C-alpha cells in the first residue's frame, strides 16, 4: 500500500505564496519507470480538478490557470512531493490533494490519494 500525507496548507492573502508538501510512504513495489505524482484540488459541490502532474523523468504538466504560478517538484531521497504556489488568487481556495499513479504525463492512472490540506486565499 501507499500512504500520502499533505501539509503546508493555510490561510494567505491574495498575491501571497504557499508551499505544499506530500510525504509518501510506500509499502508495496512501484515501478519507477511508470510512476507519476500529482496535485489535485476540490471545493465543496464541485468536481475534482487536476492541478499538476510530474512523472519519473521529472516531466511535468499544469492546468492552464496554474501555468507560470505553480511549480510541481519531487525529492526522491526524501520521498516528498512539493507544490510551490505563487501569486495566489481567491479562486485557488480549495482542498488540495496529492496522488500517486502509473503512466506518464501523457497518460496516467492515479490510484492512491492523500487526505488533503486546506488552502484559503483571502482578497
Amino acid at each position: 500500500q501507499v500512504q500520502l500525507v499533505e501539509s503546508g496548507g493555510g490561510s494567505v492573502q491574495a498575491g501571497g505564496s504557499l508551499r505544499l508538501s506530500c510525504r509518501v510512504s510506500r509499502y508495496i513495489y512501484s515501478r519507477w519507470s511508470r510512476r507519476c505524482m500529482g496535485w489535485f484540488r476540490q471545493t465543496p459541490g464541485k468536481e475534482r480538478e487536476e492541478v499538476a502532474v510530474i512523472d519519473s523523468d521529472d516531466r511535468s504538466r499544469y492546468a492552464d490557470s496554474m501555468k507560470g504560478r505553480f511549480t510541481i517538484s519531487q525529492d526522491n531521497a526524501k520521498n516528498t512531493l512539493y507544490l510551490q504556489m505563487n501569486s495566489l488568487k481567491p479562486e485557488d481556495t480549495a482542498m488540495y490533494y496529492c496522488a500517486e499513479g502509473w503512466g506518464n504525463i501523457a497518460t496516467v492512472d492515479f490510484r492512491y490519494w492523500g487526505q488533503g490540506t486546506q488552502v484559503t486565499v483571502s482578497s
Side-chain angles (χ1 to χ4, degrees):
Q1 63 181 26
V2 177
Q3 183 175 7
L4 306 97
V5 181
E6 303 95 334
S7 63
S11 297
V12 65
Q13 191 174 10
S17 299
L18 284 174
R19 174 173 285 189
L20 306 184
S21 298
C22 174
R23 185 174 66 255
V24 183
S25 299
R26 299 186 177 91
Y27 300 96
I28 61 172
Y29 174 76
S30 181
R31 290 171 292 176
W32 175 250
S33 62
R34 291 290 181 269
R35 186 180 69 84
C36 287
M37 302 295 299
W39 286 99
F40 298 79
R41 68 186 187 186
Q42 188 170 26
T43 57
K46 298 182 66 177
E47 194 171 81
R48 185 191 66 199
E49 176 185 25
E50 179 185 296
V51 174
V53 175
I54 188 167
D55 67 16
S56 60
D57 292 320
D58 281 338
R59 294 172 295 191
S60 59
R61 73 179 187 214
Y62 299 87
D64 288 340
S65 63
M66 289 77 161
K67 290 180 180 178
R69 299 191 300 123
F70 292 6
T71 303
I72 187 171
S73 62
Q74 57 192 353
D75 187 333
N76 293 320
K78 296 181 179 180
N79 291 319
T80 303
L81 178 74
Y82 301 98
L83 182 68
Q84 178 67 46
M85 305 186 294
N86 299 323
S87 301
L88 284 164
K89 306 173 182 179
E91 306 92 90
D92 295 319
T93 296
M95 184 72 76
Y96 284 72
Y97 301 88
C98 65
E100 179 174 296
W102 289 263
N104 52 46
I105 58 172
T107 304
V108 59
D109 176 23
F110 287 102
R111 182 174 181 180
Y112 300 100
W113 300 83
Q115 296 301 305
T117 184
Q118 179 67 39
V119 172
T120 302
V121 184
S122 60
S123 59

